[in-house]
Amino acid sequence: MEQQLDYADVRAAADRIAGSVRPVAVAPAADGVWYALEHLQYTGSFKARGAHNFLAAHHRAGTLPAAGVTIASGGNAGLACAWAARDQGVPATVFLPANAPRVKVERLRGYGAEVRLVGDRYAEALAACEEFAAHSGALSSHAYDHPLIAAGAGTLLDEIRAALPGLDAVVVAVGGGGLFAGVATAAREHGVRVIAAEPENCRALNAALAAGRPVDVAVDSVAADSLGATRVSADALAAARDESVRSVLVPDTAITAARRALWEEHRIVVEAGAATALAALRGAPEPLGERVAVILCGANTDPGDLAH
């Protein structure tokens, strides 16, 4: 399988999104460990980077239709898509199952998106989204499986390196693999090792490595709301085959403990998916390097359960 994504794509993405996203803040956490605070990004997650790069690339190429963009996602990708569309001045039409939480619907509408509620399963919303794109001419976006989306996410790595010269390793949570693929592509360019962290029961990348190809996996984890992709992208699998990458699985108990530790020790609130990266670091049998960054990738979560 050939790697489709390369470092030039990440550098081009950095040029497109400059001035439109928040540069990541990097804060010391412990001896030899820093947190990349990407949960402070617009829309509350790293996905703003890929969404902006995706639409900006189409805008520059003259291929951004008047009908705008459409996506089936009530999570971080949908929020980022709606935000980026507003920034580009084009409509965003977001499809969700009818049972989607009202708070997600309201947040999407807050970014100016038209929200269409279809069926009671994500698959039905996705089918309606695809039909809408075919008939309206709207540009279809994807939560993670697109080179422009992954390249935008990968811009994080160079920003972290700028703040931490001599970076040895970066720990990143993996769902569908957009963030991982982009970060790993940039990391390989600079000799930085990557630890790809997944929940034990939400392991699309780990299973793909074992099978030698992307395969469908069952999803059952406290972090499934953001890491619950049933299949990893081909770009992510290609990036994971590099010798500088290590796939790590962590139990839900460790994810929950890491999320609570971030709150209790640093007053940082993140979603379980972001805490998965810290859980991998906390469970590592030996130090990962002298200068290690843990990407805290999103904070779209209910903090109520942290105060007990």
Side-chain angles (χ1 to χ4, degrees):
M1 183 183 299
E2 291 299 319
Q3 172 81 2
Q4 295 176 315
L5 194 67
D6 63 29
Y7 184 58
D9 297 322
V10 178
R11 294 304 307 148
D15 174 65
R16 291 189 199 101
I17 71 174
S20 296
V21 302
R22 291 173 177 151
V24 70
V26 178
D31 187 27
V33 178
W34 285 259
Y35 293 151
L37 307 179
E38 184 64 1
H39 67 295
L40 301 177
Q41 186 55 260
Y42 292 117
T43 76
S45 89
F46 74 92
K47 290 195 181 275
R49 294 173 180 269
H52 188 86
N53 185 48
F54 179 75
L55 291 185
H58 279 282
H59 177 77
R60 291 189 183 185
T63 53
L64 186 55
V69 63
T70 186
I71 192 171
S73 170
N76 292 338
L79 291 169
C81 182
W83 168 81
R86 184 182 67 178
D87 194 61
Q88 291 289 336
V90 297
T93 306
V94 182
F95 287 80
L96 300 175
N99 55 5
R102 181 175 297 274
V103 64
K104 290 187 175 181
V105 174
E106 294 308 315
R107 284 197 69 193
L108 286 164
R109 288 176 175 155
Y111 285 126
E114 178 182 346
V115 180
R116 299 193 182 186
L117 303 174
V118 179
D120 59 5
R121 293 182 300 115
Y122 172 76
E124 295 172 271
L126 178 60
C129 178
E130 292 171 345
E131 182 179 358
F132 171 77
H135 286 87
S136 69
L139 180 67
S140 286
S141 185
H142 194 279
Y144 60 88
D145 195 2
H146 192 284
L148 288 169
I149 298 291
T155 58
L156 254 176
L157 194 278
D158 279 346
E159 291 182 14
I160 295 170
R161 286 183 62 251
L164 283 176
L167 179 68
D168 292 314
V170 62
V171 190
V172 58
V174 184
L179 175 60
F180 164 74
V183 166
T185 296
R188 187 178 61 245
E189 181 75 12
H190 302 293
V192 175
R193 289 181 293 114
V194 181
I195 290 79
E198 295 176 282
E200 288 179 342
N201 297 319
C202 205
R203 57 199 293 174
L205 179 63
N206 187 270
L209 283 167
R213 59 185 173 82
V215 292
D216 288 334
V217 297
V219 171
D220 181 17
S221 169
V222 66
D225 60 336
S226 57
L227 302 184
T230 56
R231 177 179 287 243
V232 79
S233 71
D235 274 333
L237 176 56
R241 285 176 165 151
D242 191 84
E243 62 182 11
S244 64
V245 174
R246 189 166 87 200
S247 171
V248 174
L249 300 176
V250 292
D252 274 8
T253 51
I255 295 170
T256 300
R259 181 170 176 262
R260 182 168 291 278
L262 281 165
W263 168 248
E264 293 180 346
E265 297 170 16
H266 303 284
R267 285 301 187 256
I268 292 174
V269 178
V270 297
E271 58 200 52
T276 299
L278 178 58
L281 176 75
R282 284 160 56 103
E286 71 279 330
L288 301 176
E290 293 183 4
R291 296 173 78 77
V292 179
V294 178
I295 297 176
L296 302 181
C297 57
N300 289 317
T301 184
D302 180 359
D305 58 348
L306 289 171
H308 303 308

